[in-house]
C-alpha cells in the first residue's frame, strides 16, 4: 500500500494528474500497478486523508490539490486535532496521576497488555482510542472524557494513518507504557512529560509523512 500511495502521490505532485483531473478507475489502476483492489483502496483513502483527492460517489476520484498541507481525520484537520489534544490530554494525564483509582490502573494495564499482544491493526486502533478515553476517565472529571469521546473517530482515523504510513505501533505501545507507569507511580510531572512526549512523536511522524520526498518519475510500485 505504501508503494502504491507513494507512486500515486508522486504522480499528483509532479502534475501527471493535474488539479481537476479524474484518476483512472480502480480496475485500471489495479491492472497498471499490479495490486489487489483492497490495497488500492487503502492507498486512495490515504490520498483523500492527505487532502490530495476527493471521492465522488458514482463519478470516481478527483485531484483537488498538488501538495499535502494538513491531513484531515474525519471532521478535523490534523493541526486542529493536535492543538486540542495538547491542551486537553497533557493536563488530563497530570490529573489522572493524582486521582486515579486502583480500578483505573487495572483497566489501563490490562488494555495495554492486550495492545502489546494484538496483531490486527484495526483491533489495535480501537484499543488505542479506548486507552486515551480510559486515561481521561482516570482524571475523575466527566467533561474530559466527553471531550475525548467527541474526537474519538478522528483519533481512530489518525491512528490508522500513522500506523499504515509511519509504522507507529511499537513506538506508541512504549509511549503508552510510560504513561501508565507514571500514573501507577502517582507522579503528575512524569505523567505530563510522558503524554507530552507521546504527542510530540505523533506530530513528528505526521510531519515526516507530509514532507516525505516525492517519488522519482521512474519509480514503480512493482511487487507490492
Amino acid at each position: 500500500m505504501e508503494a502504491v500511495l507513494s507512486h500515486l502521490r508522486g504522480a499528483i505532485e509532479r502534475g501527471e494528474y493535474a488539479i481537476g483531473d479524474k484518476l483512472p478507475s480502480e480496475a485500471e489502476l489495479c491492472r497498471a500497478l499490479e495490486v489487489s483492489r483492497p490495497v488500492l483502496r487503502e492507498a486512495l483513502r490515504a490520498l483523500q486523508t492527505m487532502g490530495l483527492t476527493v471521492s465522488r460517489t458514482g463519478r470516481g476520484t478527483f485531484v483537488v490539490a498538488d501538495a499535502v498541507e494538513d491531513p484531515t481525520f474525519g471532521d478535523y484537520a490534523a493541526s486542529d486535532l493536535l492543538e486540542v489534544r495538547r491542551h486537553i490530554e497533557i493536563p488530563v494525564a497530570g490529573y489522572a496521576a493524582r486521582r486515579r483509582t486502583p480500578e483505573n490502573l487495572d483497566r489501563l494495564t490490562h488494555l495495554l497488555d492486550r495492545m502489546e499482544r494484538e496483531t490486527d491493526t484495526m483491533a489495535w486502533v480501537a484499543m488505542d482510542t479506548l486507552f486515551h478515553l480510559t486515561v481521561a476517565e482516570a482524571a475523575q472529571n466527566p467533561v474530559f472524557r466527553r471531550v475525548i469521546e467527541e474526537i474519538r473517530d478522528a483519533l481512530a482515523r489518525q491512528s490508522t494513518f500513522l500506523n499504515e504510513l509511519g509504522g507507529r505501533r511499537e513506538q506508541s505501545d512504549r509511549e503508552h507504557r510510560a504513561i501508565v507507569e507514571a500514573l501507577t507511580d502517582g507522579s503528575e510531572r512524569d505523567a505530563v512529560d510522558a503524554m507530552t512526549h507521546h504527542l510530540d512523536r505523533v506530530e513528528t511522524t505526521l510531519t515526516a509523512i507530509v514532507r516525505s520526498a516525492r517519488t522519482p518519475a521512474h519509480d514503480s510500485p512493482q511487487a507490492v
Side-chain angles (χ1 to χ4, degrees):
M1 190 281 286
E2 291 179 27
V4 173
L5 173 60
S6 180
H7 175 82
L8 293 174
R9 176 180 176 179
I12 291 170
E13 292 178 332
R14 291 191 299 272
E16 294 173 22
Y17 298 119
I19 294 175
D21 283 355
K22 177 183 175 181
L23 294 184
S25 69
E26 289 186 3
E28 291 176 289
L29 287 172
C30 284
R31 284 195 300 271
L33 303 178
E34 299 181 5
V35 295
S36 66
R37 189 157 293 193
V39 168
L40 176 67
R41 285 177 175 171
E42 285 185 32
L44 291 176
R45 282 195 295 270
L47 283 178
Q48 189 162 331
T49 296
M50 289 177 170
L52 295 175
T53 63
V54 294
S55 178
R56 294 172 181 153
T57 304
R59 296 181 59 194
T61 299
F62 293 81
V63 177
V64 294
D66 57 10
V68 179
E69 298 295 338
D70 196 1
T72 300
F73 302 109
D75 296 329
Y76 306 111
S79 58
D80 292 338
L81 184 63
L82 187 61
E83 182 176 56
V84 168
R85 293 188 70 186
R86 286 189 181 281
H87 281 82
I88 298 296
E89 291 193 82
I90 291 174
V92 159
Y95 287 124
R98 287 168 25 206
R99 301 172 180 171
R100 83 289 185 277
T101 65
E103 291 76 19
N104 294 141
L105 293 177
D106 285 346
R107 194 173 300 118
L108 282 166
T109 300
H110 177 65
L111 183 59
L112 186 55
D113 287 343
R114 289 175 58 200
M115 292 176 73
E116 290 175 341
R117 294 193 303 267
E118 184 57 62
T119 57
D120 181 80
T121 297
M122 296 315 296
W124 187 93
V125 164
M127 288 187 282
D128 183 27
T129 58
L130 182 57
F131 177 88
H132 288 275
L133 276 170
T134 306
V135 172
E137 287 178 349
Q140 311 304 328
N141 183 328
V143 179
F144 287 142
R145 190 189 192 285
R146 181 65 62 87
V147 172
I148 303 302
E149 185 69 54
E150 165 62 27
I151 62 174
R152 186 174 188 171
D153 177 67
L155 290 178
R157 290 170 184 261
Q158 182 186 71
S159 181
T160 301
F161 184 77
L162 292 174
N163 287 322
E164 290 180 344
L165 302 181
R168 276 275 304 156
R169 272 186 58 175
E170 290 185 6
Q171 292 178 28
S172 190
D173 282 340
R174 289 195 295 270
E175 293 155 17
H176 287 163
R177 179 65 67 183
I179 293 169
V180 172
E181 288 174 353
L183 298 187
T184 300
D185 292 342
S187 172
E188 181 177 359
R189 179 173 180 176
D190 287 350
V192 165
D193 287 347
M195 185 64 78
T196 299
H197 175 70
H198 179 52
L199 296 181
D200 284 346
R201 297 306 302 164
V202 167
E203 183 174 19
T204 297
T205 305
L206 274 169
T207 300
I209 292 170
V210 169
R211 293 179 179 174
S212 64
R214 298 182 179 186
T215 305
H218 62 270
D219 279 6
S220 175
Q222 299 299 316
V224 172

